[in-house]
Amino acid sequence: MRKPFVAGNWKMNTNGQTSVQLAKRIAEGSAETAGHDVTVAVCPPFVYLQAVTKALSSSSIAVGAQDIYFEPDGAFTGEISPAMLKDTGCTYCLCGHSERRHVIGETDELINKKVAAAISGGLLPILCVGELLSERQASKTNEVITRQLKQGLAGLSAAKLSAVTIAYEPVWAIGTGVTATPEQAQEAHDFIRTLVGRMYNGQVAEEIRILYGGSVKPGNAAELMNCKDIDGLLVGGASLKADDFLAIIQATV
Ligand code: PGA
């Protein structure tokens, strides 16, 4: 049985005060689901990681970074290393989020280095994949996911894959209010699990957690979670409202 996993991606939102307030409200509210077997993580902006980790220290909520750099140190202005993230108390790290791919211009090759560096640095990467609307319309969804997964996971052994979570986030559903239907999401998740099985083995495919992301809200979380291959949710906008995020966590248990 795969344990449900809900992660909140705060993106470039909150400030020093509101990041801590939001973390504390989520920690207080999630005490109700504490008895349930669910992994919960929040991914604040880099500069608030330490404060949020501190605010969550007596809770079971983990903290993740929204990005990482693959080099251990050196002249890489503006970048943050795996060891620095570990230092702040991070457990998880998003790699290849669609905004990094399509706004910042990250390539599959760079994302692969980030995933590998995260694992070597003792972090648990969440590798994000997903197609653009034009790619879906051109029936290229599976082709895009295959490329992103094969290149994103290149060189990683089956043993290392146990550190990885995959997030399927169709780009057309992110921040648009348009959610993939449970059927569309399940189809993509099934495809991803089958592909992981072909790339590694059946056991790895059974064990890996695949999250859905893209306009997840309290009102659609339960129906998405009812899908056989959806193991959790990566939540953007709705993770900035404690009540909504808590309701989404509740829907997964
Ligand atoms: P959204 O973002 O929930 O606001 O669509 C999801 C994400 O980008 O991870």
Side-chain angles (χ1 to χ4, degrees):
M1 268 305 279
R2 299 177 293 266
K3 185 170 164 178
F5 185 179
V6 183
N9 173 11
W10 295 359
K11 308 194 181 184
M12 200 173 73
N13 294 297
T14 69
N15 61 35
Q17 199 183 1
T18 58
S19 58
V20 169
Q21 278 168 358
L22 179 57
K24 286 188 172 158
R25 285 203 54 207
I26 293 167
E28 281 157 19
S30 63
E32 279 174 46
T33 47
H36 294 273
D37 228 8
V38 53
T39 308
V40 179
V42 294
C43 304
F46 281 139
V47 289
Y48 307 130
L49 282 171
Q50 221 149 7
V52 167
T53 305
K54 194 165 157 229
L56 293 174
S57 59
S58 56
S59 81
S60 59
I61 299 172
V63 177
Q66 297 174 16
D67 189 25
I68 188 168
Y69 199 60
F70 63 89
E71 293 284 0
D73 49 45
F76 304 102
T77 303
E79 296 296 342
I80 307 288
S81 72
M84 291 171 184
L85 293 180
K86 280 296 276 186
D87 241 6
T88 68
C90 264
T91 306
Y92 294 92
C93 165
L94 301 181
C95 292
H97 184 275
S98 85
E99 285 141 23
R100 304 286 324 163
R101 291 178 187 269
H102 299 294
V103 181
I104 314 290
E106 290 194 4
T107 61
D108 286 306
E109 193 192 358
L110 174 61
I111 294 161
N112 175 239
K113 287 182 182 166
K114 292 184 173 195
V115 172
I119 299 172
S120 303
L123 294 155
L124 304 175
I126 301 172
L127 171 63
C128 305
V129 300
E131 80 287 2
L132 296 163
L133 181 60
S134 57
E135 292 166 335
R136 174 162 283 264
Q137 286 167 341
S139 303
K140 289 195 168 149
T141 299
N142 291 350
E143 191 185 308
V144 171
I145 293 174
T146 302
R147 189 199 73 230
Q148 291 175 337
L149 275 184
K150 287 202 166 162
Q151 295 189 14
L153 298 174
L156 291 184
S157 64
K160 286 202 166 166
L161 210 70
S162 61
V164 177
T165 299
I166 294 169
Y168 169 63
E169 298 204 299
V171 182
W172 47 272
I174 297 178
T176 57
V178 181
T179 318
T181 63
E183 293 74 26
Q184 286 172 321
Q186 168 56 28
E187 194 183 353
H189 282 233
D190 175 47
F191 179 80
I192 291 168
R193 199 176 303 286
T194 305
L195 181 61
V196 169
R198 283 210 308 269
M199 289 165 61
Y200 292 89
N201 59 58
Q203 194 190 338
V204 168
E206 263 314 297
E207 286 172 2
I208 197 160
R209 289 190 288 188
I210 310 174
L211 317 184
Y212 167 80
S215 297
V216 174
K217 301 180 266 283
N220 59 26
E223 60 177 9
L224 288 161
M225 285 303 294
N226 273 339
C227 298
K228 178 174 151 287
D229 289 293
I230 298 185
D231 307 313
L233 303 164
L234 178 53
V235 188
S239 73
L240 292 168
K241 294 184 201 123
D243 290 344
D244 284 1
F245 191 59
L246 290 166
I248 291 168
I249 298 169
Q250 194 70 51
T252 67
V253 297

